């Protein structure tokens, strides 16, 4: 049986993550293998000196390098990029996280797509005054012509190292003897050059081919938004109605495909945002506040502000219930988990600050925020007017008009996060710690110090929003719940498939609850993060209504459902004690989804410099395996002997066929008489 032979030859590596190709208007970035996969003899590189064998001394190129995670840096990869002696790279995860920090993102994230340009604050453009991500190596934005895989399983890494030890270790300074341990990586990408090229090819295929083959897809998903007071989602809000927007991003990225833990870069802020939304909804007089509050969660922000640029575009084109004119002010939560002491920094835009009316409103905003922190373990400080805004969704709104706004972060200048957009931006990075020996259920409920700290930030934000919306009562009752925060951190960072998440989603979405959460925007939508932010927000801010399943699923046919104002969801509910059945119920909320697809693709402007143009290449298969490879001489001898046997068997067959009448004639019966 073919399979059993294959199993005897190859050991598949099942827990890997590839680096894949992404494209924008002008470039292709990432990695790929040749069409039939790339193969090489394994060499383990644990210190820089080991590279000499690969780059110069080793007699068996090309090599597949098993690279220690601490050496996965720009200096080493640029050396490997410039040689034909390397056919691929398998990277093991560094444990503990590299102490010097590691960020494959850019030093100036989303450069060119924010508000600062030659026409608006040119002195702040291209991070001229503040380099936000100084440890950024830009590795994620390089183009490699060989495959690079991440080994996620320490056991598989050990199997490769053992195979290397047994077969490939150089003996007495000379090369190892055959057979050698080799690795093969498959990650051939269909798209090339740029988004302009691949989208044009898609377009030609769709026009002329019966079976069109798409080569790349735009990065897209959905933004999640809801309002404090319900608004007509299919109509338009009155021009006089003022709305305060609270925003955060919900996506992250790393060098490897769909490895995007984003603990500090995304999760810390959107969890704080969700907790603030819950705290504000619990205030007694929210429905009589003079201004509305919109809670907005942007998707795809890592890739040149996909979500926020789309929402601004929709507001300008009257395709969204709100107009830009309705926005009273803007509060954004950026990275907030790594506060130094208790300090939270308030960043404002120095250019619009020059406008007197904007300055007055921003001053008011800062004062309300500062006053809201009294009595909480949070000290709010201004980052200063000589410094631009950090990379933030607010910048896309400022591009459209002068809106008073503030971005809250845990850093005054450069990021505190030394693992921005990397696989190491994990729960450990935001100091989440649990005692030994807890069950999954106990871990879900255990309130960590990180959760307490983020709940304090959420409390300050919720109180400030209440004041901004015109609330006059005492705000001491507005309090974010650390229990909710700790559950969200566990669900979004450690284990999505937990009892709380199971109880708040629709029954048909059970499949989205994978184990380890990742927050990459991807091309098939909505992604798990979007669904879960949607249902967590509905759970925290919605109300349980007494409707049957049919009424809940068909609010059109239900009297007084007010479908334009509310969204209805029939959710699984928690398990009945002492049984395996669930108690489902109907949740009514104001949570909605809106498209997060860059306007560049709506407008078919694939070479746009105004909007994000990121696409992801398609591929046929991604896999990795190791096996023993024989020497070239033995392979040639085997081939020659095989050909010789084939020729001999052909000649023998021909000879036997030619002499068949002699060889196979029926002998006469000696007893027969001839007449």
């Amino acid at each position: 049986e073919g399979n059993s032979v294959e199993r005897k030859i190859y050991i598949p590596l099942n827990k890997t993550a590839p680096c894949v190709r992404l494209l924008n208007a002008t470039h292709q970035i990432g990695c790929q293998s040749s069409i039939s996969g790339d193969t090489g003899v394994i060499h383990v590189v644990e210190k820089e000196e080991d590279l000499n064998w690969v780059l110069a001394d080793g007699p068996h190129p090309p090599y597949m390098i098993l690279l220690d995670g601490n050496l996965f840096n720009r200096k080493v990869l640029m050396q490997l990029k410039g040689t034909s002696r390397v056919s691929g790279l398998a990277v093991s995860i560094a444990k503990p996280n590299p102490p010097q920090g590691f960020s494959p993102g850019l030093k100036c994230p989303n450069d060119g797509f924010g508000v600062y340009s030659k026409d608006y604050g040119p002195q702040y453009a291209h991070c001229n005054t503040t380099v936000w991500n100084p440890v950024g190596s830009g590795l994620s934005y390089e183009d490699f012509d060989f495959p690079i895989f991440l080994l996620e399983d320490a056991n598989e890494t050990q199997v490769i190292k053992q195979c290397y030890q047994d077969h490939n270790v150089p003996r007495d300074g000379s090369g190892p003897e055959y057979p050698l341990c080799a690795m093969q990586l498959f990650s051939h990408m269909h798209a090339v050059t740029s988004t302009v090229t691949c989208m044009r090819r898609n377009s030609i295929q769709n026009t002329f081919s019966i079976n069109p083959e798409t080569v790349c897809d735009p990065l897209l998903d959905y933004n999640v938004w809801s309002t404090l007071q319900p608004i007509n989602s299919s109509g338009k809000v009155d021009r006089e109605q003022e709305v305060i927007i609270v925003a955060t991003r919900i996506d992250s990225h790393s060098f490897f495909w769909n490895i995007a833990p984003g603990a500090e870069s995304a999760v810390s802020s959107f969890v704080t945002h969700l907790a603030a939304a819950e705290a504000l909804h619990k205030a007694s007089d929210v429905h009589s506040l003079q201004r509305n509050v919109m809670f907005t969660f942007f998707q795809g922000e890592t890739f040149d502000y996909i979500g926020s640029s789309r929402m601004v575009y929709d507001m300008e084109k009257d395709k969204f219930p709100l107009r830009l004119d309705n926005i009273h002010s803007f509060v954004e939560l950026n990275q907030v988990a790594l506060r130094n002491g208790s300090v939270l920094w308030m960043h404002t835009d120095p250019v619009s600050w020059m406008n007197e009316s904007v300055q007055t409103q921003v001053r008011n905003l800062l004062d309300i925020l500062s006053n809201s922190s009294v009595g909480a373990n949070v000290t709010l400080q201004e980052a200063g007017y000589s410094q631009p805004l950090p990379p933030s969704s607010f910048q896309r709104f400022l591009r459209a008009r002068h809106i008073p706004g503030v971005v809250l972060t845990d850093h005054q200048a450069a990021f505190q996060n030394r693992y921005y957009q990397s696989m190491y931006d994990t729960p450990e990075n935001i100091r989440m710690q649990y005692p030994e020996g807890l069950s999954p259920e106990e871990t879900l409920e255990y309130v960590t110090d990180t959760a307490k700290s983020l709940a304090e930030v959420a409390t300050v934000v919720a109180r400030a929003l209440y004041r901004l919306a015109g609330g006059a009562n005492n705000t001491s009752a507005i309090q974010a719940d650390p229990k909710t925060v700790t559950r969200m951190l566990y669900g979004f960072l450690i284990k999505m498939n937990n009892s709380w998440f199971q109880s708040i989603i629709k029954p048909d979405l059970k499949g989205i609850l994978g184990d380890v959460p990742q927050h990459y925007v991807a091309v098939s939508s909505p992604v798990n993060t979007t669904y879960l932010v949607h249902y967590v927000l509905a759970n925290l801010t919605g109300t349980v209504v007494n409707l049957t399943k049919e009424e809940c699923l068909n609010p059109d046919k239900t009297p007084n459902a007010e479908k334009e104002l509310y969204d209805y969801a029939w959710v699984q509910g928690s398990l009945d004690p002492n049984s395996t059945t669930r108690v489902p119920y109907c949740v009514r909320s104001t949570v909605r989804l809106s498209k997060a697809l860059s306007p560049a693709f709506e407008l078919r402007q694939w070479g746009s410099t105004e909007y994000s143009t990121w696409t992801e290449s398609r591929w046929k298969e991604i896999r990795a395996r190791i096996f023993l490879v024989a020497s070239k001489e033995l392979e040639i001898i085997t081939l020659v002997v095989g050909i010789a046997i084939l020729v001999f068997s052909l000649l023998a067959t021909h000879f036997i066929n030619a002499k068949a009448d002699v060889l196979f004639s029926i002998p006469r019966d000696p007893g027969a008489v001839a007449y």
Side-chain angles (χ1 to χ4, degrees), residues 26 184 216 225:
T26 51
Q184 189 171 26
C216 68
W225 63 275

Side-chain angles (χ1 to χ4, degrees), residues 342-387:
S342 65
V343 178
L344 196 62
W345 295 94
M346 302 185 287
H347 297 263
T348 50
D349 171 38
V351 181
S352 58
W353 179 260
M354 300 301 179
N355 177 317
E356 248 177 74
S357 69
V358 173
Q359 186 179 130
T360 311
Q361 288 171 288
V362 172
R363 186 71 272 159
N364 178 46
L365 185 56
L366 298 177
D367 290 344
I368 287 175
L369 275 159
S370 298
N371 295 338
S372 300
S373 67
V374 175
N377 186 21
V378 180
T379 311
L380 282 158
Q381 292 190 14
E382 292 172 28
Y385 310 113
S386 57
Q387 186 174 276

Side-chain angles (χ1 to χ4, degrees), residues 37 64 95 113 131-132 144 234 292 307 375 423 492 494 643:
M64 270 288 169
K95 294 262 168 70
F113 288 86
V131 176
W132 295 108
F144 296 94
S234 53
N292 206 343
M423 56 193 168
F492 285 114
I494 295 171
I643 292 169

